[in-house]
Amino acid sequence: MKPSRATRLTLFGFALLLLAPSPAARSERAPLYLDAGLPPDVRVEDLLPRLTVEEKVRMLGGTGFTTQPVERLGIPAFRMSDASVGSRNDGPTTAYPASVALAAAFNADLAVRVGTALGHDARARGVHILLGPGVDLYRAPFGGRNFEYLGEDPVLAGQTAAGFIRGLQGQGVAATIKHYAANDQEFDRHRLSSDLDERTLRELSVRQFEIAVREGGPKAVMTSYNPVNGVPMSQNSALVNGVLKGEWNFRGLVMSDWDSCYDTLGMMLGGLDLEMPNPQFYRPELVQRLLDSGRVPTAVLDEKIRRQLRVGFELGWFDRPQADPGIPRDDPASAAVALAAAREGIVLLKNDGAVLPLDPARVRRLAVLGANADHPITGGGGSSFATPFPGHALSVVDALRQQAATPDAVAFVPAWAADAEAPAAVREADAVIVCVGFDTPGVNAPNRGALGEHEGGDRQYALPPGQEELIRAAAAANPRVIVVLNAGGSVATEGWIDRTAGLLHLFYPGQEGTKALAEIVFGRTNPSGRLPFTWEKRWEDAAAYGHYPSKETPRSNDYAEGLLLGYRWFDARGLEPRFPFGFGLGYTQFELTDLTALAAGVGETTTVKVQGHPVRREDRAKSVELTVQVRNTGPVPGAEVVQVYVETPPVATSPAPRPPRELKAFAKVFLQPGETRTVTLSIPAADLAVWDVTGHAWTLPRGRHVFLAGEHSRRLPLRAGLEL
Ligand code: BGC
């Protein structure tokens, strides 16, 4: 049995007493907090009382991209850097694929590798706190930061984030999951409140934060610009004190997003530990006044500083320099991870007549067109954009030239007049690659007016002007047209998709991305990415249609779709998507058989008290264990993603509309031709619980849970039921 919180605290206090030297000894010896051999909490409790109130108050505000140091006591300034795809604040760095592409890999182990490599890059630069990963959900294709996030499903996003966090923090660099909470649009991002009911909030919007906290243990959380249900997140006590710090037992640091603070008292009492980038509402005189008047107890101030110090002790920042000069800034090991991630993150969505892969020995003329063909596009725009070192990022054209039998086999063909016949280079090509989508504003600014996708604003659904026309013109001249797309999500396809033979979604693939693309085009890499969101046939089909905010409906940001976000909506309504969630093609085939499901002690409920409110929690040790046989029945090595969805029995306290089924586990397996492997998957009982809207608590539905396994959300041939 686990000791109760009270017992643990008493034991902890007792241990402190034993460890603490007498006052006399203390003056002679080095202070305890400098002893790297002691537990972080002991060191925190030793250091905290040595700080003056003025020093503590100063530590509540940042200084640009650092925390406030206290030199007198040897408290370093903790340096921060954006973000999820590269440690970008110190100039050029390895640029990894966009987070949405990492989610598309459906591979939490790959996320660990990316996090680890980014941790190295951060250490090469002396960065303590990386301002990522971003984990908000994909709600609509417009979302200007979809590329910074991890798709539409909280289990996929949560487990990918957890892997990333473990990798990063393993290198002594803190992860910051952001933006808490429901930062799913960039339209009017400072003011527009995300309005959602309790169940939608718990089961979708913050579920991936919860999974990431539980399984990744991030040291920091950044609040969002958008208020939630009208309350700014920098002072949202219910979600920060109640849910994050209370129910989830988050012990790290909560910081504001840049300039998103409004009310000193609200922030002090609402759980915000650090105002970034500078103290405006945590200005010393404002905080001091609240302390003097007793409206804010000193214990509240202490708790914020305790969290800041604890992160530093836990990650070793008091005990070694954070900068590791032994790590190269342009690290070949990091570039290799960026390439590995790009290979797994690109999604092949259409491949009619097996137009791909092209045989490099037989392709004599490959025509490459489009606004995104002739210069590198590595990332979306805004605070996450990482500038690669020179020589890494190639345009699609150059990357294809490097891997073709001869460079002359690849011709870049500029767009031609709409009414003119297509050039011979297009008509006579063995295949035509049309590179379309969005660009990185500010980076490729003079790119002939192409539209960008970036933080700070939402984008349009249609491809940028002229691109559909170009695809159609190419397809009219040559039946072997393969579209290559840069975007953070879906785009309008009605005007062109049926005319093309192939479609590859590149997202923003990082500095090695076009190399991975060329490998896929020429069959050297077998694509294994899966769509981390549902791609609708028309925007009108999508769950958030009609209530996602836009210039036409500026005030409405009502999450009226409730639990039926993304594939949940398409399944509930029986709508056919363009491409389903979890879908992606490759160059081989797989056979999935023999699903087994076993309950490992699931079903008992314990009641615990969190800040006075009873919360029913499933014991985390309990889980459902599944196995599936996977066989590569095709001609080449490749990776399959086994996906397990669950049909939950009806729950009176979480009434309809509930999703017909939801993703609960996934695993990627690499197999040689003819090879069979048993894939094991585990679903924590906590992830089978639903939100009880009457008791305001998680509850494990009683009855028959049906586990469905297959290749994507619309192809789930294997079933196994369990009475829980
Ligand atoms: C963004 C954050 C980012 C911060 C620092 C803000 O505008 O929303 O994601 O970490 O700037 O650059």
Side-chain angles (χ1 to χ4, degrees):
M1 218 189 84
K2 269 186 155 179
S4 71
R5 197 183 153 88
T7 318
R8 274 186 282 138
L9 284 176
T10 317
L11 288 173
F12 175 64
F14 188 60
L16 270 185
L17 270 182
L18 283 180
L19 285 164
S22 67
R26 197 169 172 151
S27 59
E28 291 151 26
R29 296 221 320 242
L32 281 186
Y33 75 88
L34 291 178
D35 184 345
L38 291 176
D41 282 327
V42 173
R43 300 175 73 187
V44 170
E45 296 312 322
D46 180 65
L47 176 52
L48 195 58
R50 298 173 192 267
L51 285 157
T52 65
V53 172
E54 292 71 35
E55 286 166 335
K56 288 189 267 197
V57 168
R58 251 204 330 273
M59 288 173 75
L60 294 176
T63 61
F65 274 86
T66 63
T67 58
Q68 184 76 51
V70 182
E71 271 143 31
R72 177 178 76 82
L73 293 166
I75 302 178
F78 303 154
R79 293 191 61 221
M80 305 182 186
S81 173
D82 285 309
S84 318
V85 301
S87 185
R88 66 162 237 147
N89 283 42
D90 298 273
T93 191
T94 302
Y96 300 86
S99 301
V100 67
L102 186 61
F106 272 73
N107 184 350
D109 295 337
L110 179 74
V112 175
R113 286 177 67 196
V114 171
T116 306
L118 242 162
H120 277 149
D121 302 339
R123 292 296 302 275
R125 292 159 175 77
V127 168
H128 299 84
I129 302 176
L130 192 82
L131 301 173
V135 304
D136 295 282
L137 291 186
Y138 178 109
R139 188 166 168 241
F142 314 99
R145 298 186 94 167
N146 279 338
F147 65 85
E148 275 192 69
Y149 298 149
L150 296 160
E152 74 184 17
D153 183 84
V155 167
L156 175 64
Q159 292 190 8
T160 306
F164 182 100
I165 294 162
R166 288 198 301 272
L168 183 77
Q169 294 190 166
Q171 301 309 310
V173 179
T176 310
I177 51 171
K178 67 186 189 183
H179 306 85
Y180 185 69
N183 176 229
D184 309 320
Q185 83 287 330
E186 287 295 278
F187 179 79
D188 199 9
R189 67 173 175 168
H190 288 275
R191 284 187 304 166
L192 201 60
S193 170
S194 294
D195 295 336
L196 58 177
D197 65 80
E198 178 186 336
R199 186 171 62 163
T200 306
L201 181 85
R202 295 304 194 118
E203 291 198 29
L204 286 176
S205 278
V206 303
R207 191 81 183 250
Q208 70 284 5
F209 283 92
E210 180 177 9
I211 294 171
V213 167
R214 184 184 75 204
E215 300 193 7
K219 300 293 181 198
V221 170
M222 187 191 289
T223 56
S224 58
Y225 282 137
N226 57 277
V228 173
N229 293 330
V231 183
M233 284 306 300
S234 51
Q235 58 196 70
N236 196 319
S237 183
L239 286 181
V240 175
N241 285 326
V243 175
L244 174 66
K245 293 181 174 178
E247 289 179 38
W248 303 346
N249 198 21
F250 173 72
R251 301 183 82 224
L253 177 72
V254 178
M255 71 174 85
S256 71
D257 199 347
W258 269 230
D259 302 309
S260 64
C261 293
Y262 311 98
D263 168 23
T264 311
L265 180 64
M267 290 149 62
M268 283 301 284
L269 297 182
L272 189 82
D273 302 315
L274 179 64
E275 179 182 8
M276 293 302 290
N278 297 297
Q280 296 176 43
F281 288 85
Y282 275 169
R283 275 204 315 279
E285 66 274 21
L286 298 179
V287 176
Q288 195 62 57
R289 210 174 295 153
L290 292 174
L291 292 169
D292 292 345
S293 69
R295 294 175 80 193
V296 173
T298 334
V300 169
L301 171 66
D302 282 354
E303 177 56 16
K304 297 181 194 303
I305 304 309
R306 180 176 286 123
R307 286 170 178 270
Q308 197 176 124
L309 296 175
R310 186 193 289 136
V311 172
F313 285 120
E314 284 177 345
L315 292 178
W317 300 339
F318 289 80
D319 308 324
R320 52 162 164 76
Q322 185 67 356
D324 182 343
I327 303 174
R329 288 187 154 226
D330 183 7
D331 192 343
S334 293
V337 174
L339 177 58
R343 284 178 179 140
E344 288 195 43
I346 293 172
V347 188
L348 176 61
L349 289 164
K350 191 172 182 201
N351 195 19
D352 287 1
V355 62
L356 289 173
L358 305 176
D359 180 349
R362 292 174 57 189
V363 170
R364 306 219 185 293
R365 283 158 307 183
L366 183 58
V368 188
L369 336 172
N372 290 15
D374 66 346
H375 62 280
I377 298 173
T378 57
S383 62
S384 71
F385 185 81
T387 306
F389 280 99
H392 279 290
L394 298 178
S395 68
V396 173
V397 173
D398 288 341
L400 288 168
R401 281 190 177 138
Q402 276 195 352
Q403 293 190 39
T406 63
D408 327 335
V410 179
F412 173 66
V413 183
W416 57 94
D419 50 355
E421 195 194 9
V426 173
R427 282 183 280 121
E428 290 160 18
D430 299 312
V432 181
I433 296 195
V434 188
C435 302
V436 297
F438 299 92
D439 205 331
T440 321
V443 177
N444 297 314
N447 178 20
R448 295 157 292 273
L451 293 176
E453 187 164 8
H454 54 87
E455 172 188 344
D458 281 355
R459 64 141 162 105
Q460 63 179 41
Y461 187 47
L463 286 172
Q467 297 194 351
E468 282 202 11
E469 290 80 352
L470 183 69
I471 298 172
R472 281 202 295 267
N478 191 313
R480 293 164 67 83
V481 165
I482 300 146
V483 170
V484 167
L485 175 66
N486 289 116
S490 65
V491 298
T493 47
E494 277 182 301
W496 54 271
I497 190 74
D498 291 337
R499 305 174 192 220
T500 62
L503 172 60
L504 280 159
H505 204 332
L506 233 53
F507 308 103
Y508 299 99
Q511 66 176 39
E512 309 295 327
T514 52
K515 185 170 179 196
L517 169 72
E519 291 175 356
I520 287 171
V521 166
F522 290 124
R524 297 188 177 104
T525 286
N526 184 355
S528 64
R530 304 288 186 260
L531 208 57
F533 48 82
T534 305
W535 192 324
E536 60 291 307
K537 284 189 171 153
R538 325 170 297 147
W539 163 235
E540 290 80 352
D541 290 345
Y545 172 73
H547 33 94
Y548 183 88
S550 68
K551 285 198 189 82
E552 291 70 47
T553 53
R555 297 269 82 75
S556 137
N557 195 15
D558 172 8
Y559 283 51
E561 69 275 11
L563 291 187
L564 301 182
L565 181 64
Y567 64 86
R568 295 159 164 84
W569 171 265
F570 284 79
D571 291 348
R573 299 289 149 123
L575 284 164
E576 210 40 55
R578 174 74 65 207
F579 302 113
F581 173 81
F583 173 78
L585 300 166
Y587 301 149
T588 187
Q589 295 83 44
F590 296 92
E591 190 182 73
L592 275 60
T593 55
D594 304 305
L595 172 67
T596 67
L598 178 86
V602 182
E604 287 155 37
T605 310
T606 48
T607 303
V608 295
K609 282 218 162 185
V610 176
Q611 300 205 341
H613 303 291
V615 175
R616 289 209 301 281
R617 262 206 207 135
E618 305 312 319
D619 189 324
R620 283 170 195 160
K622 297 172 184 168
S623 60
V624 170
E625 305 295 323
L626 304 124
T627 64
V628 182
Q629 299 289 318
V630 187
R631 181 178 166 78
N632 181 350
T633 58
V636 291
E640 174 62 303
V641 175
V642 180
Q643 302 174 30
V644 176
Y645 295 72
V646 68
E647 285 172 10
T648 304
V651 194
T653 54
S654 184
R658 289 205 57 84
R661 55 197 157 271
E662 296 179 276
L663 181 75
K664 293 296 169 187
F666 60 92
K668 196 171 213 177
V669 55
F670 291 81
L671 296 173
Q672 295 300 317
E675 189 184 350
T676 304
R677 188 111 36 98
T678 306
V679 174
T680 59
L681 304 104
S682 178
I683 303 175
D687 288 356
L688 294 173
V690 302
W691 188 255
D692 165 356
V693 293
T694 339
H696 311 289
W698 290 105
T699 181
L700 180 71
R702 300 287 147 168
R704 193 172 168 77
H705 294 243
V706 179
F707 298 88
L708 304 161
E711 289 158 74
H712 60 77
S713 61
R714 285 294 174 100
R715 203 179 134 73
L716 299 167
L718 307 178
R719 293 170 77 88
L722 276 183
E723 241 3 92
L724 300 176

